[in-house]
């Protein structure tokens, strides 16, 4: 996690963006735990843990796409407009990434196994049982993380912009009190 933090910090030059991305990873892990709890499934350290690591890669990629697009659009637009434009531009890639992964892992999650040589489809075969926990972790976590990416990340970006505007106002009020209007 620390290496991911350093790489993201080098890419964005922003502690806030880096912390926002890594908080999405933590929240998606909560999504895994909630999904497993609701389904009544155990958390296997090995395969569910590997699923959480794979999930972290997907969540980081989705958030990087969203935040990088916001930073680019923000140069030409006001913060609210930039968030709306970013959401419109990146809704499809984030949803397609999530749906692709979730739909691709559903057969594995339900234990469906296809025997090409024997031309048979089996459910809960011994070869598929090993991978069920990994696929459950990714499916549950990604479903939760997609909502976080599309709703919570833009809200957090707007929160940062509002805080920066308030700080600029307070600094201007302290440095030049007669030129700042009080509302």
């Amino acid at each position: 996690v620390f290496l991911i933090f350093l790489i993201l910090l080098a890419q964005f030059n922003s502690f806030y963006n880096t912390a926002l991305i890594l908080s999405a990873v933590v929240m998606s892990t909560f999504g895994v735990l909630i999904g497993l709890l609701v389904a009544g499934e155990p958390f296997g350290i090995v395969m569910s843990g590997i699923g959480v690591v794979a999930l972290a890669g997907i969540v980081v990629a989705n958030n990087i796409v969203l935040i990088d697009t916001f930073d680019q659009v923000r140069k030409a637009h006001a913060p609210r407009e930039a968030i709306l434009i970013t959401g419109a531009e990146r809704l499809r890639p984030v949803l397609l990434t999530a749906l692709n992964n979730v739909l691709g892992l559903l057969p594995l999650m339900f234990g469906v196994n296809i025997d090409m040589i024997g031309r048979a489809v089996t459910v809960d075969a011994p070869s598929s049982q090993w991978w069920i926990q990994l696929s459950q972790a990714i499916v549950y976590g990604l479903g939760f993380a997609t909502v976080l990416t599309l709703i919570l990340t833009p809200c957090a970006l707007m929160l940062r912009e509002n805080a920066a505007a308030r700080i600029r106002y307070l600094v201007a009020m302290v440095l030049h009190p007669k030129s700042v209007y009080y509302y």
Side-chain angles (χ1 to χ4, degrees), residues 106-166:
L106 279 180
L108 192 59
M109 183 176 146
F110 293 122
V112 176
N113 188 28
I114 300 173
D115 182 12
M116 297 294 215
I117 296 173
R119 296 176 138 179
V121 175
T122 57
V123 178
D124 288 335
S127 62
S128 67
Q129 287 179 356
W130 178 258
W131 301 101
I132 290 174
Q133 289 182 340
L134 179 134
S135 61
Q136 286 175 337
I138 294 174
V139 168
Y140 296 144
L142 195 55
F144 193 72
T146 301
V147 173
L148 289 177
T149 301
L150 293 175
I151 295 173
L152 211 59
T153 301
C155 291
L157 290 170
M158 191 65 192
L159 183 68
R160 178 188 67 185
E161 294 296 324
N162 287 342
R166 286 186 179 160

Side-chain angles (χ1 to χ4, degrees), residues 41-120:
E41 296 291 331
F43 182 85
I45 297 297
V46 175
M47 293 311 283
S48 295
I50 293 172
V52 168
V53 171
L55 172 66
I58 299 166
V59 170
V60 165
N62 282 343
N63 273 307
I64 286 173
V65 164
L66 196 68
I67 292 172
D68 190 43
T69 302
F70 172 76
D71 288 341
Q72 296 298 319
V73 173
R74 177 66 181 98
K75 294 175 184 174
H77 296 282
R80 187 169 188 270
E81 292 174 31
I83 287 174
L84 293 173
I85 291 169
T86 300
E89 284 183 11
R90 293 299 168 200
L91 177 68
R92 189 179 310 164
V94 169
L95 284 179
L96 284 177
T97 300
L99 285 174
N100 181 30
N101 286 302
V102 167
L103 292 177
L105 287 171
L106 279 180
L108 192 59
M109 183 176 146
F110 293 122
V112 176
N113 188 28
I114 300 173
D115 182 12
M116 297 294 215
I117 296 173
R119 296 176 138 179

